[in-house]
mmCIF file of all heavy atoms in Angstrom:
data_model
loop_
_atom_site.group_PDB
_atom_site.id
_atom_site.type_symbol
_atom_site.label_atom_id
_atom_site.label_comp_id
_atom_site.label_asym_id
_atom_site.label_seq_id
_atom_site.Cartn_x
_atom_site.Cartn_y
_atom_site.Cartn_z
ATOM 1 N N LEU A 693 -127.695 24.584 -58.839
ATOM 2 C CA LEU A 693 -127.746 25.886 -59.601
ATOM 3 C C LEU A 693 -127.208 25.691 -60.904
ATOM 4 O O LEU A 693 -126.129 25.333 -61.207
ATOM 5 C CB LEU A 693 -126.799 26.897 -58.703
ATOM 6 C CG LEU A 693 -126.822 28.375 -59.281
ATOM 7 C CD1 LEU A 693 -128.280 28.948 -59.268
ATOM 8 C CD2 LEU A 693 -125.749 29.130 -58.541
ATOM 9 N N ALA A 695 -128.028 27.948 -63.739
ATOM 10 C CA ALA A 695 -127.532 29.203 -64.234
ATOM 11 C C ALA A 695 -127.680 30.419 -63.376
ATOM 12 O O ALA A 695 -128.578 30.322 -62.447
ATOM 13 C CB ALA A 695 -128.372 29.379 -65.572
ATOM 14 N N ILE A 696 -126.904 31.321 -63.445
ATOM 15 C CA ILE A 696 -127.063 32.614 -62.646
ATOM 16 C C ILE A 696 -126.570 33.834 -63.408
ATOM 17 O O ILE A 696 -125.564 33.680 -64.053
ATOM 18 C CB ILE A 696 -126.199 32.426 -61.229
ATOM 19 C CG1 ILE A 696 -126.495 33.491 -60.386
ATOM 20 C CG2 ILE A 696 -124.798 32.104 -61.543
ATOM 21 C CD1 ILE A 696 -125.779 33.407 -58.946
ATOM 22 N N ASP A 697 -127.384 34.844 -63.235
ATOM 23 C CA ASP A 697 -126.898 36.223 -63.805
ATOM 24 C C ASP A 697 -127.421 37.244 -62.893
ATOM 25 O O ASP A 697 -127.961 36.980 -61.782
ATOM 26 C CB ASP A 697 -127.438 36.343 -65.203
ATOM 27 C CG ASP A 697 -128.896 36.450 -65.343
ATOM 28 O OD1 ASP A 697 -129.549 36.909 -64.573
ATOM 29 O OD2 ASP A 697 -129.412 36.007 -66.486
ATOM 30 N N GLY A 698 -127.359 38.417 -63.057
ATOM 31 C CA GLY A 698 -127.770 39.408 -62.137
ATOM 32 C C GLY A 698 -129.217 39.471 -61.874
ATOM 33 O O GLY A 698 -129.632 40.089 -60.959
ATOM 34 N N ALA A 699 -129.992 38.961 -62.742
ATOM 35 C CA ALA A 699 -131.429 39.028 -62.547
ATOM 36 C C ALA A 699 -132.242 37.705 -62.355
ATOM 37 O O ALA A 699 -133.436 37.774 -61.956
ATOM 38 C CB ALA A 699 -132.079 39.774 -63.867
ATOM 39 N N THR A 700 -131.652 36.617 -62.703
ATOM 40 C CA THR A 700 -132.282 35.335 -62.555
ATOM 41 C C THR A 700 -131.397 34.176 -62.047
ATOM 42 O O THR A 700 -130.052 34.427 -62.184
ATOM 43 C CB THR A 700 -132.878 34.843 -63.842
ATOM 44 O OG1 THR A 700 -131.842 34.629 -64.811
ATOM 45 C CG2 THR A 700 -133.931 35.915 -64.372
ATOM 46 N N VAL A 701 -131.884 33.221 -61.503
ATOM 47 C CA VAL A 701 -131.259 31.987 -61.184
ATOM 48 C C VAL A 701 -132.164 30.868 -61.759
ATOM 49 O O VAL A 701 -133.341 31.004 -61.799
ATOM 50 C CB VAL A 701 -130.925 31.637 -59.749
ATOM 51 C CG1 VAL A 701 -129.933 32.755 -59.117
ATOM 52 C CG2 VAL A 701 -132.160 31.611 -58.917
ATOM 53 N N THR A 702 -131.462 29.807 -62.133
ATOM 54 C CA THR A 702 -132.219 28.607 -62.656
ATOM 55 C C THR A 702 -131.742 27.414 -61.747
ATOM 56 O O THR A 702 -130.554 27.080 -61.697
ATOM 57 C CB THR A 702 -131.891 28.323 -64.180
ATOM 58 O OG1 THR A 702 -132.170 29.481 -64.925
ATOM 59 C CG2 THR A 702 -132.685 27.130 -64.780
ATOM 60 N N VAL A 703 -132.916 26.800 -61.311
ATOM 61 C CA VAL A 703 -132.762 25.526 -60.455
ATOM 62 C C VAL A 703 -133.943 24.599 -60.861
ATOM 63 O O VAL A 703 -134.896 25.037 -60.995
ATOM 64 C CB VAL A 703 -132.827 25.822 -58.988
ATOM 65 C CG1 VAL A 703 -132.687 24.518 -58.166
ATOM 66 C CG2 VAL A 703 -131.684 26.749 -58.646
ATOM 67 N N LEU A 706 -136.418 25.614 -63.578
ATOM 68 C CA LEU A 706 -137.151 26.757 -63.270
ATOM 69 C C LEU A 706 -136.445 27.960 -63.136
ATOM 70 O O LEU A 706 -135.318 28.073 -62.509
ATOM 71 C CB LEU A 706 -137.948 26.567 -61.978
ATOM 72 C CG LEU A 706 -138.860 25.251 -61.893
ATOM 73 C CD1 LEU A 706 -139.519 25.095 -60.522
ATOM 74 C CD2 LEU A 706 -139.913 25.306 -62.922
ATOM 75 N N VAL A 707 -136.907 29.126 -63.641
ATOM 76 C CA VAL A 707 -136.202 30.446 -63.750
ATOM 77 C C VAL A 707 -136.794 31.176 -62.677
ATOM 78 O O VAL A 707 -138.071 31.470 -62.787
ATOM 79 C CB VAL A 707 -136.102 30.983 -65.120
ATOM 80 C CG1 VAL A 707 -135.494 32.396 -65.005
ATOM 81 C CG2 VAL A 707 -135.489 30.054 -66.100
ATOM 82 N N PHE A 708 -136.059 31.766 -61.737
ATOM 83 C CA PHE A 708 -136.588 32.687 -60.656
ATOM 84 C C PHE A 708 -135.801 34.031 -60.740
ATOM 85 O O PHE A 708 -134.648 34.139 -60.993
ATOM 86 C CB PHE A 708 -136.131 32.083 -59.277
ATOM 87 C CG PHE A 708 -136.605 30.683 -58.936
ATOM 88 C CD1 PHE A 708 -135.846 29.598 -59.345
ATOM 89 C CD2 PHE A 708 -137.837 30.551 -58.310
ATOM 90 C CE1 PHE A 708 -136.363 28.348 -59.074
ATOM 91 C CE2 PHE A 708 -138.223 29.350 -58.158
ATOM 92 C CZ PHE A 708 -137.590 28.174 -58.430
ATOM 93 N N ALA A 709 -136.852 35.067 -60.757
ATOM 94 C CA ALA A 709 -136.351 36.493 -60.668
ATOM 95 C C ALA A 709 -135.759 36.688 -59.333
ATOM 96 O O ALA A 709 -136.269 36.313 -58.292
ATOM 97 C CB ALA A 709 -137.368 37.377 -61.022
ATOM 98 N N VAL A 710 -134.459 37.327 -59.354
ATOM 99 C CA VAL A 710 -133.818 37.720 -58.093
ATOM 100 C C VAL A 710 -133.249 39.096 -58.104
ATOM 101 O O VAL A 710 -133.388 39.814 -59.242
ATOM 102 C CB VAL A 710 -132.650 36.663 -57.990
ATOM 103 C CG1 VAL A 710 -133.142 35.399 -57.596
ATOM 104 C CG2 VAL A 710 -131.683 36.669 -59.100
ATOM 105 N N THR A 711 -132.855 39.590 -57.019
ATOM 106 C CA THR A 711 -132.147 40.844 -56.979
ATOM 107 C C THR A 711 -130.847 40.634 -56.144
ATOM 108 O O THR A 711 -130.718 39.534 -55.650
ATOM 109 C CB THR A 711 -132.985 41.885 -56.100
ATOM 110 O OG1 THR A 711 -133.055 41.491 -54.746
ATOM 111 C CG2 THR A 711 -134.420 42.101 -56.662
ATOM 112 N N PHE A 715 -129.087 37.211 -52.296
ATOM 113 C CA PHE A 715 -128.060 36.369 -52.001
ATOM 114 C C PHE A 715 -127.204 36.689 -50.729
ATOM 115 O O PHE A 715 -127.079 37.865 -50.338
ATOM 116 C CB PHE A 715 -127.011 36.422 -53.176
ATOM 117 C CG PHE A 715 -127.556 36.074 -54.517
ATOM 118 C CD1 PHE A 715 -128.076 37.067 -55.369
ATOM 119 C CD2 PHE A 715 -127.722 34.781 -55.028
ATOM 120 C CE1 PHE A 715 -128.738 36.789 -56.540
ATOM 121 C CE2 PHE A 715 -128.345 34.461 -56.140
ATOM 122 C CZ PHE A 715 -128.741 35.458 -56.923
ATOM 123 N N LEU A 737 -145.039 34.939 -62.311
ATOM 124 C CA LEU A 737 -143.594 35.123 -62.232
ATOM 125 C C LEU A 737 -143.105 34.381 -60.972
ATOM 126 O O LEU A 737 -143.637 34.577 -59.988
ATOM 127 C CB LEU A 737 -143.303 36.550 -62.176
ATOM 128 C CG LEU A 737 -141.764 36.958 -61.864
ATOM 129 C CD1 LEU A 737 -141.036 36.654 -63.164
ATOM 130 C CD2 LEU A 737 -141.630 38.384 -61.571
ATOM 131 N N LEU A 738 -142.149 33.477 -61.075
ATOM 132 C CA LEU A 738 -141.402 32.928 -59.999
ATOM 133 C C LEU A 738 -140.369 33.978 -59.597
ATOM 134 O O LEU A 738 -139.553 34.370 -60.342
ATOM 135 C CB LEU A 738 -140.690 31.625 -60.304
ATOM 136 C CG LEU A 738 -141.645 30.363 -60.622
ATOM 137 C CD1 LEU A 738 -140.899 29.235 -61.281
ATOM 138 C CD2 LEU A 738 -142.197 29.951 -59.112
ATOM 139 N N VAL A 743 -131.812 33.178 -51.761
ATOM 140 C CA VAL A 743 -131.089 32.105 -52.329
ATOM 141 C C VAL A 743 -129.950 31.843 -51.475
ATOM 142 O O VAL A 743 -129.109 32.553 -51.251
ATOM 143 C CB VAL A 743 -130.625 32.352 -53.817
ATOM 144 C CG1 VAL A 743 -129.903 31.216 -54.427
ATOM 145 C CG2 VAL A 743 -131.853 32.756 -54.645
#
Side-chain angles (χ1 to χ4, degrees):
L693 183 60
I696 183 171
D697 62 31
T700 63
V701 296
T702 303
V703 177
L706 300 174
V707 179
F708 300 89
V710 293
T711 68
F715 302 96
L737 178 69
L738 286 167
V743 179

